[in-house]
Amino acid sequence: MKSKIAFLALTLALLIVSLPKSRAQESSLRDVSLIEDHSDRERETFVRGRLLIGVRPQIAKKSARRLFADFGARRSTEIRGTQVYIVDLPEGVSEESYIDIYSSLPEVEFVELDQLHSPDEMIPNDPSFQSQWHLPKVSAPAAWSLTTGSNAVKIAILDTGVDPYHPDLSSKLVPGWNIFNNTPDTRDVYGHGTKVAGVAAASTNNATGVASVGWNCLIMPIRVSDTKGYATTSAIANGLVWAADHGARVANISYKVTTSSTVTNSAKYFYGKGGVIAVSAGNDATFDSAPDNPYVLTVSGTASDDSLASFSTRGNNIDLSAPAVSVLTTTSGGGYGPASGTSFSAPLVAGAAGLLLSMDASLSAQKVRDILCQAADDRGPSGWDSSYGWGRLNVDQAVRRSTGSPPPPPPPGDTTPPVVSITSPAPSSTLSGTVTVAVTASDNTGVASVNLQIDGASLGAVSQSSYNFTWNTTAAGDGPHTLTAQATDLAGNVSTQSITVTVKNTVTLDAPPKISITSPYNGAVVYSKVAVKVAASDDRGVVKVDFYVDGRWKASSTNAPFTIYWDTRLHTKGAHLIQCKAHDASGNVALSPIIRVYKMQ
């Protein structure tokens, strides 16, 4: 109750703020950079006074900007092609409170802070380590017998910039963009981006410096950070869109952004243009429970013995792993040195993606993703796991698979069935609405397909490495149900695993009331006295309906049909929010959706 009251009080405060008119933006990149003031940088984790808001596809740009302006937003800029807006809030307000308000609006799909991301780099323990052990480990030399990459493939490095004068990088650079300053100056201001670029695509076989995975692939530098290496979510999202629009087929993001909805929308845009994105998993040595992001390859880090690096983040969204300890690479100023962190496992995957697209430019982003996952060397538990994903990167096997050669026939007499497991939902869990059923499967000769059955009826089959199924539980009915995953290998061997779950979608007795305002409608223009009509119902009866305007109680009604007369002449011209609260006989309460109306005089 206290949180609801606080929410309503804040809503009133917002409406007191003058409502500036929204205006069209000249560029999707204009004024989205972080103000570079480092006095409080160590204490800040997001950009103050800013939110990232995704609106639903049917909402027009003009309507979205008017929506933001109604709540006092000073400015809103769309990240082009994503339906995500960078919204500058009124001075001195609470970002968290505005998240609650915007999230309650039906036009809004998600709201998140514009997070500050530090580079996923670790200071190496052994700075004299002078061996590129990581390239043989991922079988890159064997892959180079088939391809060393193509200058038709551009790898976008979304980072701190790239040193344009480095002897191992200067000949590889194509024009990029500085998202932070909105200029073409992409010089490295921190040093991190030069290291990342060298791992992915430094000049190779030139009798100078180091080798890289993508010998002949080109580098598109996209600066998204300030001079201390920090990048905002919005800058990274804008960088992806810019890279996609300027011909990049691969992008590397060595920041921990897999779970950002804003970055995901931009990644979907990049993915839709055939682009492959590698993202570092992070270096906080924790477990990330967020689900898989289908538009990026999230890469954890390994050591030289193929153990998971001590600093690497694990989680449900890990797709691949790659070397991340003492990776020798290029450094700003024309030098070379070892670097550690998942910042350097991700560009190994980006370079490998570049080689696949060099072999066959027609490959879709999904096909490249599948090849890289299927070709990985399985490490840890059999099949996918939360530390290594589908395994440690194997560039040679990936390149050979990209040629389209059929998989090798199963060994004669193969009778070993695949291993299959339903990883989500958990056994005996209670489900409602639409859920994702995640399955893992592995086999000594290869998995041909995975089928999911609900109570014996097939929901569908998939043959790619991400065995995820969408199940609408409302069609199954309340009660226990059996989920069975059936995996078939290349030799025709079959194995299954079943779990029982409970579906519960029906509203139980003594639930809170249902309430909505039926008149006036959302967006209506009101004047004089208005009849506010409310539809309220409950299994035990509604005993009272309260009426609020801009967070303040105005009147109550105790008799159905619930109608309250509102004298708008007592309120100022402009936008107002109305909401009603229903009370049932058991003391349960429920709030109606907020209706926004406009008093014109």
Side-chain angles (χ1 to χ4, degrees):
M1 176 65 73
K2 290 182 179 179
S3 63
K4 293 292 185 183
I5 294 173
F7 169 78
L8 292 168
L10 175 62
T11 303
L12 174 61
L14 296 180
L15 288 168
I16 296 173
V17 178
S18 61
L19 303 177
K21 295 181 179 179
S22 61
R23 54 183 179 175
Q25 302 298 319
E26 296 178 0
S27 167
S28 64
L29 304 180
R30 182 177 177 181
D31 295 328
V32 300
S33 60
L34 172 68
I35 297 174
E36 192 167 358
D37 177 1
H38 300 295
S39 57
D40 293 325
R41 177 55 46 80
E42 286 72 23
R43 297 191 296 274
E44 298 287 358
T45 59
F46 60 89
V47 180
R48 292 290 178 186
R50 182 185 294 173
L51 292 179
L52 303 174
I53 303 179
V55 299
R56 301 194 182 280
Q58 65 271 26
I59 306 302
K61 294 179 182 179
K62 185 177 180 180
S63 299
R65 292 192 173 110
R66 183 170 61 243
L67 174 72
F68 305 139
D70 283 344
F71 292 92
R74 294 180 289 118
R75 180 174 54 196
S76 58
T77 309
E78 187 195 16
I79 299 175
R80 197 174 69 76
T82 67
Q83 291 285 101
V84 178
Y85 290 79
I86 304 165
V87 178
D88 292 332
L89 304 177
E91 296 287 348
V93 301
S94 164
E95 293 84 4
E96 288 79 2
S97 298
Y98 264 78
I99 288 177
D100 290 340
I101 289 174
Y102 281 124
S103 296
S104 71
L105 301 177
E107 300 95 331
V108 171
E109 192 167 34
F110 69 84
V111 185
E112 64 182 3
L113 296 168
D114 196 358
Q115 297 282 356
L116 281 167
H117 306 278
S118 59
D120 282 332
E121 178 179 15
M122 300 290 291
I123 298 173
N125 294 324
D126 187 1
S128 63
F129 189 80
Q130 295 294 307
S131 171
Q132 289 188 271
W133 66 272
H134 58 284
L135 292 174
K137 176 63 71 173
V138 299
S139 302
W144 295 333
S145 65
L146 295 175
T147 179
T148 55
S150 165
N151 60 12
V153 176
K154 302 172 186 176
I155 301 176
I157 305 296
L158 280 68
D159 218 283
T160 64
V162 175
D163 181 355
Y165 307 112
H166 198 290
D168 253 351
L169 299 173
S170 59
S171 65
K172 306 295 295 294
L173 298 179
V174 298
W177 195 254
N178 181 334
I179 303 295
F180 184 86
N181 295 124
N182 200 20
T183 72
D185 182 1
T186 58
R187 289 174 293 178
D188 198 339
V189 293
Y190 183 71
H192 186 260
T194 298
K195 297 175 185 177
V196 171
V199 174
S203 294
T204 305
N205 200 32
N206 61 347
T208 302
V210 296
S212 69
V213 178
W215 282 25
N216 296 321
C217 297
L218 298 180
I219 299 168
M220 178 187 287
I222 308 288
R223 181 184 156 194
V224 294
S225 83
D226 63 15
T227 58
K228 287 197 173 181
Y230 287 84
T232 62
T233 300
S234 57
I236 293 170
N238 265 309
L240 273 178
V241 173
W242 196 97
D245 288 345
H246 290 80
R249 287 297 306 274
V250 182
N252 184 86
I253 307 174
S254 286
Y255 292 88
K256 187 180 178 182
V257 295
T258 294
T259 60
S260 165
S261 297
T262 298
V263 171
T264 297
N265 274 37
S266 292
K268 185 176 181 179
Y269 181 85
F270 193 94
Y271 183 91
K273 288 179 172 280
V276 181
I277 305 168
V279 177
S280 58
N283 301 325
D284 48 21
T286 60
F287 182 89
D288 190 337
S289 61
D292 180 52
N293 185 331
Y295 301 111
V296 304
L297 286 163
T298 305
V299 187
S300 61
T302 58
S304 58
D305 61 356
D306 267 348
S307 63
L308 190 71
S310 60
F311 50 77
S312 181
T313 300
R314 300 170 294 111
N316 295 333
N317 52 31
I318 301 299
D319 295 297
L320 285 169
S321 55
V325 178
S326 293
V327 174
L328 189 63
T329 185
T330 50
T331 59
S332 289
Y336 304 90
S340 297
T342 56
S343 275
F344 310 106
S345 55
L348 285 170
V349 172
L355 291 186
L356 295 184
L357 291 167
S358 297
M359 291 282 289
D360 184 356
S362 69
L363 290 175
S364 67
Q366 183 62 52
K367 185 63 175 177
V368 173
R369 176 189 175 102
D370 287 346
I371 289 173
L372 289 170
C373 291
Q374 293 163 1
D377 290 334
D378 196 5
R379 297 292 181 262
S382 178
W384 180 91
D385 64 82
S386 60
S387 294
Y388 298 91
W390 291 103
R392 195 252 304 122
L393 175 68
N394 186 316
V395 183
D396 179 50
Q397 286 299 311
V399 167
R400 294 181 188 281
R401 283 176 179 253
S402 73
T403 62
S405 301
D414 174 31
T415 59
T416 303
V419 177
V420 63
S421 176
I422 299 174
T423 58
S424 179
S428 302
S429 58
T430 299
L431 310 175
S432 63
T434 300
V435 299
T436 297
V437 180
V439 180
T440 62
S442 61
D443 184 73
N444 62 319
T445 63
V447 176
S449 67
V450 172
N451 178 277
L452 180 68
Q453 299 174 356
I454 309 296
D455 299 328
S458 176
L459 186 67
V462 294
S463 58
Q464 56 192 28
S465 57
S466 297
Y467 307 112
N468 292 332
F469 302 83
T470 300
W471 178 31
N472 182 2
T473 66
T474 59
D478 287 359
H481 295 275
T482 301
L483 279 59
T484 301
Q486 181 185 75
T488 305
D489 69 8
L490 298 174
N493 300 307
V494 176
S495 61
T496 63
Q497 192 230 353
S498 298
I499 64 171
T500 300
V501 297
T502 299
V503 170
K504 188 176 182 182
N505 286 300
T506 304
V507 178
T508 60
L509 293 178
D510 206 25
K514 294 181 179 179
I515 181 171
S516 63
I517 298 173
T518 59
S519 179
Y521 59 87
N522 192 43
V525 175
V526 297
Y527 55 90
S528 190
K529 288 188 176 181
V530 177
V532 178
K533 298 180 180 181
V534 177
S537 62
D538 184 78
D539 58 289
R540 298 195 177 185
V542 176
V543 297
K544 184 175 70 169
V545 170
D546 293 322
F547 174 60
Y548 296 84
V549 177
D550 299 336
R552 291 186 177 181
W553 176 88
K554 293 297 179 183
S556 297
S557 175
T558 57
N559 298 311
F562 299 100
T563 301
I564 298 168
Y565 292 92
W566 171 34
D567 190 349
T568 66
R569 294 172 296 183
L570 303 178
H571 296 268
T572 59
K573 178 181 177 181
H576 295 277
L577 301 182
I578 61 175
Q579 188 173 36
C580 290
K581 180 193 294 182
H583 303 254
D584 70 9
S586 301
N588 298 313
V589 298
L591 287 168
S592 72
I594 295 173
I595 300 296
R596 185 173 64 255
V597 297
Y598 300 89
K599 181 189 174 186
M600 301 307 295
Q601 56 184 359

